[in-house]
């Protein structure tokens, strides 16, 4: 294995990193405020190096135009930039990681306090991050033609009532889900010391779930894995018994 180091902010390093590369998988940067520019640097370098295919880890969201959490829009700006580059592309639109659920519901405190978030009746086709990684590797190891978009989601979607039911089953203690009002939730986050901007972003993220943005079901993940993805019960059992 040869490792070429490139950082998204350093164009020369990206040019060097692209030498001799056929397929580029751009993993969305974690600097959410600046990542669209960073992604554009990677796409430009890939185009300059005449690579054969560029792939990108985007997000599965139903209607980017009506998202409350504006930071998610960067994924779709990146998708548009990739499409405009005219490089052959593979887009992986990934659903919310099931791995994020403990963080969403407040760690082990959930077994005492229950779930209080503004996700309403919203459903999410949660899938494990490791399985999305495996599916992406399988897709990119196969010779592809043309432009492809995969929706990496579970084969069914789950509400936070379902999450509560699985946690009840796992712990033997009743865990309830009580949908919160977005404004009350945001005020509580600020009261716990989170900066206003972060509280607004988290509330927006969960409100998008309530609005059905993550209720997308596809068999792409199952097909790329060659087996059924880990379901909610199996996944939460894994995540809570680590
Ligand atoms: N679907 C979901 O639920 C979900 C949840 C969380 C995140 N995400 C998305 O997935 C992305 C990755 O999240 P993650 O948790 O997998 O993060 P991660 O483990 O930190 O991976 C990010 C990867 O991108 C690389 N990277 C980041 N900034 C870079 C830069 N400026 N230059 C070069 N490489 C850079 C990192 O390289 P190094 O290893 O060298 O640092 C690392 O390999 C996020 O940006 C987010 O969009 C999706």
């Amino acid at each position: 294995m040869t490792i070429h180091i490139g950082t998204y902010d350093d164009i020369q390093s990206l040019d060097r990193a692209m030498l001799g590369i056929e397929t580029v998988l751009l993993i969305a940067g974690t600097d959410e405020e600046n990542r669209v520019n960073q992604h554009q640097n990677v796409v430009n370098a890939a185009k300059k190096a005449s690579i054969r295919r560029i792939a990108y880890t985007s997000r599965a969201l139903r209607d980017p135009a009506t998202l409350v959490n504006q930071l998610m829009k960067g994924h779709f700006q990146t998708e548009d930039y990739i499409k405009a580059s005219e490089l052959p592309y593979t887009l992986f639109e990934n659903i919310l990681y099931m791995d994020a659920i403990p963080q969403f519901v407040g760690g082990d405190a959930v077994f005492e306090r229950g779930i209080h978030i503004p996700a309403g009746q919203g459903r999410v086709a949660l899938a494990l991050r490791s399985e999305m990684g495996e599916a992406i590797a399988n897709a990119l190891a196969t010779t592809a033609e043309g432009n492809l978009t995969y929706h990496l989601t579970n084969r069914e979607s789950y509400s936070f009532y379902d999450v509560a039911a699985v946690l009840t089953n796992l712990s033997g203690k009743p865990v309830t889900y009580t949908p919160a009002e977005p404004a009350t939730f945001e005020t509580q986050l600020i009261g716990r010391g989170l900066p206003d901007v972060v509280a607004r972003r988290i509330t927006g993220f969960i409100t998008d779930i309530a609005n059905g943005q993550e209720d997308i079901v596809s068999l792409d993940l199952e097909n790329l894995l060659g087996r059924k993805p880990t379901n909610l019960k199996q996944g939460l059992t894994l995540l809570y018994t680590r």
Side-chain angles (χ1 to χ4, degrees):
M1 183 169 69
T2 311
I3 295 176
H4 302 227
I5 295 177
T7 64
Y8 299 166
D9 293 304
D10 178 349
I11 291 166
Q12 283 181 346
S13 78
L14 290 171
D15 286 342
R16 282 195 302 273
M18 295 286 171
L19 289 176
I21 299 297
E22 289 189 359
T23 302
V24 170
L25 170 62
L26 168 57
I27 306 281
T30 45
D31 176 357
E32 291 182 330
E33 307 281 350
N34 298 307
R35 66 179 169 190
V36 175
N37 282 336
Q38 293 181 329
H39 297 165
Q40 290 176 349
N41 288 342
V42 177
V43 177
N44 293 343
K47 174 113 180 147
K48 201 161 139 195
S50 302
I51 60 127
R52 289 214 190 135
R53 173 166 299 271
I54 186 158
Y56 174 63
T57 57
S58 187
R59 284 286 267 111
L61 293 159
R62 231 174 227 290
D63 181 14
T66 57
L67 282 167
V68 178
N69 179 10
Q70 297 296 308
L71 282 178
M72 285 290 152
K73 290 192 171 170
H75 286 297
F76 303 97
Q77 288 161 357
T78 301
E79 287 194 5
D80 289 344
Y81 198 79
I82 288 172
K83 288 173 184 170
S85 76
E86 295 182 352
L87 285 166
Y89 65 78
T90 305
L91 301 175
F92 297 102
E93 293 195 343
N94 297 341
I95 202 72
L96 177 63
Y97 299 151
M98 197 183 294
D99 314 56
I101 289 298
Q103 204 184 333
F104 264 77
V105 300
D108 285 345
V110 70
F111 296 111
E112 306 303 328
R113 298 192 207 135
I115 307 172
H116 303 272
I117 57 172
Q121 314 288 318
R123 304 179 75 83
V124 187
L126 297 161
L128 285 180
R129 178 172 122 141
S130 57
E131 291 187 332
M132 295 187 202
E134 183 181 337
I136 290 171
N138 288 345
L140 295 180
T142 314
T143 311
E145 296 294 334
N147 298 320
L148 301 167
T149 299
Y150 293 105
H151 297 95
L152 300 186
T153 73
N154 220 313
R155 61 204 310 275
E156 56 187 342
S157 61
Y158 310 101
S159 70
F160 280 86
Y161 293 105
D162 297 326
V163 172
V166 172
L167 293 179
T168 298
N169 197 272
L170 264 180
S171 64
K173 284 184 180 181
V175 175
T176 54
Y177 167 48
T178 316
E181 278 304 314
T184 315
F185 180 77
E186 192 173 318
T187 307
Q188 282 167 350
L189 292 182
I190 293 166
R192 278 191 237 145
L194 281 183
D196 291 11
V197 63
V198 177
R200 194 173 322 120
R201 194 176 299 162
I202 295 172
T203 307
F205 191 107
I206 303 176
T207 304
D208 282 328
I209 293 177
N211 292 344
Q213 288 279 8
E214 305 234 22
D215 192 0
I216 298 172
V217 168
S218 154
L219 291 182
D220 289 348
L221 178 61
E222 177 167 340
N223 291 336
L224 286 171
L225 288 173
R227 62 174 193 275
K228 286 185 184 154
T230 300
N231 66 25
L232 185 70
K233 186 170 178 211
Q234 296 161 331
L236 290 184
T237 305
L238 275 174
L239 293 165
Y240 277 92
T241 52
R242 265 181 191 160

